[in-house]
Amino acid sequence: GENVEQHPSTLSVQEGDSAVIKCTYSDSASNYFPWYKQELGKGPQLIIDIRSNVGEKKDQRIAVTLNKTAKHFSLHITETQPEDSAVYFCAANSYGQNFVFGPGTRLSVLP
Amino acid sequence: ETGVTQTPRHLVMGMTNKKSLKCEQHLGHNAMYWYKQSAKKPLELMFVYNFKEQTENNSVPSRSSPECPNSSHLFLHLHTLQPEDSALYLCASSQDPPDPEKLFFGSGTQLSVL
């Protein structure tokens, strides 16, 4: 079955700097890769996703890149702000399969 | 609100109590899920329902049992719980495959077992 690894487990950046979180997956059949943000006391919220027929997707300050050959994908947050502080989860899935989540990255943006 | 509503938000139970968690989705989806989120562990899928039929049961102990009366409502009935059952229980919904579709989560029920 699919296995998703995520690094780093914790990340601290200064406000205004960029943050990058990386995930690797094992199942080459996986074709959908979402990223979720979970703030304290809330459920995970989808912030961006990418399908395997695309190499990069951007939405304002966040972007996701996908390398199918290497089976890894990354979340990039530019110009970080304190409200970006949260736990971020990556996930992978494919047709007929359930989502497999990474263990999460706790991002702290220091003012 | 994300369109997936969970109640209660917090629950404290003794090991001999019986309680139910409720989830309702307002997104017109036909698949609903229960996930368990424990400290320092990845999200664990517990149950999946597609069109009210259970399609996944990930070896969850029988002290947690789901019920899906229709495609908009999902319950998790709890009884004789153990301290290790303390966790954030998340409900989610999605539109049924064939293509992988977005998964929307509720805010969760934080369960503490004493």
Side-chain angles (χ1 to χ4, degrees), chain A residues 44-45, chain B residues 1-6 23-29 31-32 71-73 91-94 103-107:
Chain A
Q45 301 293 307
Chain B
E1 283 295 341
T2 62
V4 180
T5 305
Q6 288 188 245
C23 177
E24 182 175 1
Q25 61 95 1
H26 315 277
L27 301 168
H29 291 162
M32 297 188 76
S71 57
S72 297
H73 294 85
C91 173
S93 72
S94 72
L103 192 64
F104 291 90
F105 286 90
S107 295

Side-chain angles (χ1 to χ4, degrees), chain B residues 20-40:
Chain B
S20 296
L21 310 185
K22 179 183 175 181
C23 177
E24 182 175 1
Q25 61 95 1
H26 315 277
L27 301 168
H29 291 162
N30 51 25
M32 297 188 76
Y33 310 74
W34 280 117
Y35 283 86
K36 178 181 178 183
Q37 188 175 35
S38 305
K40 299 183 180 179

Side-chain angles (χ1 to χ4, degrees), chain A residues 31-32 36 38 41-46 49 51 57 89 93-99 101-103, chain B residues 2 9 33 35 37 41-43 45 48 56 88 90 97-107:
Chain A
N31 58 3
Y32 177 63
Y36 288 84
Q38 187 174 24
K42 296 184 179 180
Q45 301 293 307
L46 178 69
D49 56 10
R51 297 187 186 272
K57 184 176 178 181
F89 294 94
N93 86 333
S94 60
Y95 168 72
Q97 302 300 312
N98 291 308
F99 289 83
F101 287 85
Chain B
T2 62
R9 291 296 307 276
Y33 310 74
Y35 283 86
Q37 188 175 35
K41 283 187 177 181
L43 282 162
L45 179 63
V48 181
E56 188 101 10
L88 179 67
L90 290 162
D99 288 326
E101 273 295 340
K102 302 179 196 303
L103 192 64
F104 291 90
F105 286 90
S107 295

Side-chain angles (χ1 to χ4, degrees), chain B:
Chain B
E1 283 295 341
T2 62
V4 180
T5 305
Q6 288 188 245
T7 55
R9 291 296 307 276
H10 303 274
L11 183 60
V12 179
M13 290 178 64
M15 289 192 282
T16 58
N17 293 154
K18 292 182 181 180
K19 292 286 184 184
S20 296
L21 310 185
K22 179 183 175 181
C23 177
E24 182 175 1
Q25 61 95 1
H26 315 277
L27 301 168
H29 291 162
N30 51 25
M32 297 188 76
Y33 310 74
W34 280 117
Y35 283 86
K36 178 181 178 183
Q37 188 175 35
S38 305
K40 299 183 180 179
K41 283 187 177 181
L43 282 162
E44 300 174 58
L45 179 63
M46 300 174 70
F47 302 104
V48 181
Y49 279 83
N50 281 327
F51 293 100
K52 304 187 300 177
E53 299 297 321
Q54 187 178 121
T55 58
E56 188 101 10
N57 179 339
N58 279 356
S59 303
V60 178
S62 60
R63 54 185 186 266
S64 299
S65 60
E67 178 189 359
C68 188
N70 56 61
S71 57
S72 297
H73 294 85
L74 186 63
F75 295 90
L76 189 64
H77 304 299
L78 308 170
H79 63 93
T80 58
L81 294 182
Q82 302 298 310
E84 59 264 31
D85 296 317
S86 297
L88 179 67
Y89 288 83
L90 290 162
C91 173
S93 72
S94 72
Q95 196 60 24
D96 200 36
D99 288 326
E101 273 295 340
K102 302 179 196 303
L103 192 64
F104 291 90
F105 286 90
S107 295
T109 295
Q110 185 66 55
L111 173 66
S112 298
V113 180
L114 304 179

Side-chain angles (χ1 to χ4, degrees), chain A residues 23-55:
Chain A
C23 286
T24 61
Y25 62 99
S26 60
D27 188 353
S28 55
S30 290
N31 58 3
Y32 177 63
F33 308 93
W35 284 90
Y36 288 84
K37 175 184 180 182
Q38 187 174 24
E39 298 176 271
L40 195 62
K42 296 184 179 180
Q45 301 293 307
L46 178 69
I47 56 171
I48 196 167
D49 56 10
I50 193 168
R51 297 187 186 272
S52 58
N53 58 347
V54 177

